[in-house]
Structure formats: C-alpha cells, structure tokens
Amino acid sequence: LCLSSTLSRVQDNMSSKAGKGGAKAKATAAKKAVQQGVRSKSKKHMRTSVTFHKPKTHIRTRKPVYNRKSGSSTSKLDEATRQLLAGHSIINHPLTTESAMKKIEDNNTLVFIVDKRANKAMIKLAVKRLYDIEASKVNTLIRPDGQKKAYVRLTADYDALDVANKIGII
C-alpha cells in the first residue's frame, strides 16, 4: 500500500514537471514569434533612384453601356458640294490691301487669308478648284493677329490681273 502510493506520487510529480516544461517551451516559442514576427523576413527592395514613381496598376478595358454618339459620322453631301465646301473652308477671302495689289500687278501673285490649319498643298488645290487657275508656288506666313496669309504665285499661262477682275478684287 505504501509503495503504490509513493509510486503514484512520483508519477504525478513527473507528469506535472513535464507539463510545466511543455508550457515553458510553448511560452518561449511565443516570445520568439512575437520578437521575430510570424512571417519569415524577406529581403528589402533596394532603391536605386532618389525619386519615387507610383507603380503602374492594371488598366481595365472600356465596356461602355451605351454609345456616346447617337448618329453616324457619314456626311450626306454629294462629292461636288463637298469639294466646293472644302475649297471655301480653306480660303477665307482674298486680301485687297495696297501691297496685295502691287503683288498682283508686279509679281503675278494673288494674296489670300486662309485657314490656319491649311498647308501649301491644300491651298494650291483649293485655288485650282475655286478659280480654275494653276498656281506655280505658294508662300505662307502667320500674321501677328493670328491669321494665315498665303501668296499664290500663278503660272505664266494665267494673268493675276485678269483673275483678280474675275474674282472681284479690283
């Protein structure tokens, strides 16, 4: 009786010590996890530039619910009217200043105020369509008031005075 009781007391003692040791091991593991962090430490990204650039994110493709334009963009004008309007939209009006008249008489050149976005080839084509004359060359400049002036030099076949009379400049 006495022997069995002491034996059970020793076993209880050992189990309580093992329990205490397990709890202690658990506590040290928790302490270590708190100090180090539960995730493994990854290497920090090295920055090679002093300026920070916002990272590029995903740009979604557009999926519109409805069309932004209700009608079609096709024009209902016939080709002849479109060509005529194209010429008129490029050439605003002829210039009738004294210096322009001198150019007409001396240099066989007509002077026009044209659309600011028109280039020399467009101006040459518009003069041909509107007045049925051939231009040998076109010089352009932007005036201080923001308008574009075009000097249209006619070929030797055409006289600028006759054309100016036909247009109604003189």
Side-chain angles (χ1 to χ4, degrees):
L1 216 148
C2 193
L3 184 63
S4 66
S5 65
T6 53
L7 187 62
S8 65
R9 202 180 303 140
V10 169
Q11 283 176 349
D12 287 340
N13 224 359
M14 286 178 85
S15 68
S16 66
K17 280 185 181 175
K20 285 181 185 172
K24 189 175 180 182
K26 234 181 194 180
T28 54
K31 180 182 173 188
K32 193 175 182 184
V34 166
Q35 284 175 344
Q36 287 183 346
V38 287
R39 292 187 180 93
S40 63
K41 285 194 175 182
S42 59
K43 192 174 181 182
K44 237 182 178 181
H45 175 69
M46 182 177 283
R47 297 204 175 271
T48 55
S49 175
V50 293
T51 55
F52 176 77
H53 295 288
K54 191 171 133 184
K56 301 278 189 285
T57 56
H58 178 69
I59 298 169
R60 292 180 176 177
T61 56
R62 291 184 178 187
K63 296 174 192 147
V65 178
Y66 61 92
N67 290 334
R68 296 298 188 258
K69 290 184 178 180
S70 60
S72 63
S73 62
T74 56
S75 177
K76 292 174 177 59
L77 297 171
D78 62 325
E79 189 60 34
T81 312
R82 192 177 301 133
Q83 284 179 354
L84 185 66
L85 286 176
H88 281 293
S89 65
I90 291 171
I91 294 176
N92 293 346
H93 58 85
L95 210 58
T96 57
T97 60
E98 198 173 312
S99 61
M101 293 302 149
K102 191 165 175 62
K103 288 271 186 195
I104 289 171
E105 293 163 3
D106 297 344
N107 300 339
N108 201 31
T109 302
L110 294 172
V111 185
F112 295 100
I113 298 295
V114 295
D115 188 78
K116 195 171 181 181
R117 295 163 296 183
N119 58 27
K120 292 180 182 184
M122 287 178 182
I123 295 166
K124 200 173 189 178
L125 192 64
V127 166
K128 184 176 181 179
R129 283 183 183 159
L130 290 176
Y131 307 119
D132 298 322
I133 52 175
E134 288 288 327
S136 63
K137 72 176 192 173
V138 176
N139 290 337
T140 59
L141 63 90
I142 306 285
R143 300 191 328 179
D145 64 352
Q147 293 182 320
K148 185 180 259 191
K149 190 193 307 188
Y151 295 98
V152 180
R153 178 89 184 254
L154 304 182
T155 56
D157 303 341
Y158 299 98
D159 185 34
L161 268 170
D162 296 338
V163 175
N165 281 329
K166 189 174 96 175
I167 294 171
I169 297 173
I170 301 174

